[in-house]
Amino acid sequence: MVSPTPTRAADPQVWTIAADGWCEQAQRQPSPNFDARADGVTADLLVIHNISLPPGRFGGPFIGDLFCNRLDYDADPYFEQLRPLRVSAHFVIRRDGGLVQFVSANDRAWHAGVSLFKGRERCNDFSIGIELEGTDFEPFTDSQYQTLATLTDALRRRYPLVDVAGHEHVAPGRKTDPGPFFDWARFRADCPCQAEQAQLRFPSGVGESQA
């Protein structure tokens, strides 16, 4: 079932991830680009990305179209290079804080690619991927940080998340997102779970990070 509009950051600040891995407050756009996690493997890493399609342009249907394999490759010259891709993320947070979910967090979305975290390869196997609509070259919005913190809190109440990293941290040299304008310290401070549970480990240099 698809809700009519993405949830806004101003909506109630306690969200729920159901047993089937879907956030009850998110708009659903189910992607075919996923598979099952290996038996006994659950998500303990959160990976933060940024995305805009075409690059630097916000709004419009193109991110969802890419993740759902319905992108019109003739709509922009940039899209031709995306033709062979089959990718997805679990969540996208729009510039206005709207939350869209493409893959159940119980399953493996195809967001990190070739990656390594603390000696473990194939981060898709054990991570949840969140895309922020944005670029490496400009700040993210207050509404996006609010939604990200609220979503992270909900995910921690369902999954044994221990670490947070950027795509740039799990695929250094290949990826640069979420980039220099993502405020890791703000994200860490905004997370309500930081005061209530064992703290998430953030990338080096953020508070008491050990990642």
Side-chain angles (χ1 to χ4, degrees), residues 61-74:
F62 298 125
I63 297 172
D65 289 349
L66 175 66
F67 288 172
C68 294
N69 299 342
R70 58 176 183 250
L71 184 64
D72 178 1
Y73 299 106
D74 297 324

Side-chain angles (χ1 to χ4, degrees), residues 5-37:
T5 56
T7 296
R8 298 295 192 266
D11 287 341
Q13 294 304 297
V14 176
W15 292 356
T16 301
I17 308 297
D20 63 0
W22 291 90
C23 179
E24 296 181 358
Q25 288 74 26
Q27 178 191 15
R28 295 188 189 186
Q29 292 191 35
S31 169
N33 301 330
F34 74 95
D35 54 6
R37 300 190 192 275

Side-chain angles (χ1 to χ4, degrees), residues 95-165:
R95 298 296 287 182
D96 65 357
L99 180 66
V100 186
Q101 185 169 3
F102 293 90
V103 175
S104 164
N106 292 350
D107 292 319
R108 179 167 53 188
W110 302 344
H111 62 96
V114 178
S115 50
L116 177 71
F117 185 76
K118 294 186 176 179
R120 294 189 292 172
E121 297 181 340
R122 295 170 52 92
C123 292
N124 286 344
D125 293 352
F126 53 89
S127 68
I128 294 170
I130 301 176
E131 296 270 8
L132 300 174
E133 188 177 25
T135 74
D136 288 4
F137 309 108
E138 55 194 298
F140 299 91
T141 69
D142 291 343
S143 294
Q144 287 180 300
Y145 284 108
Q146 183 177 344
T147 294
L148 179 60
T150 304
L151 175 61
T152 299
D153 179 50
L155 290 168
R156 287 209 71 196
R157 285 184 273 108
R158 173 61 65 180
Y159 302 100
L161 294 174
V162 175
D163 291 291
V164 182

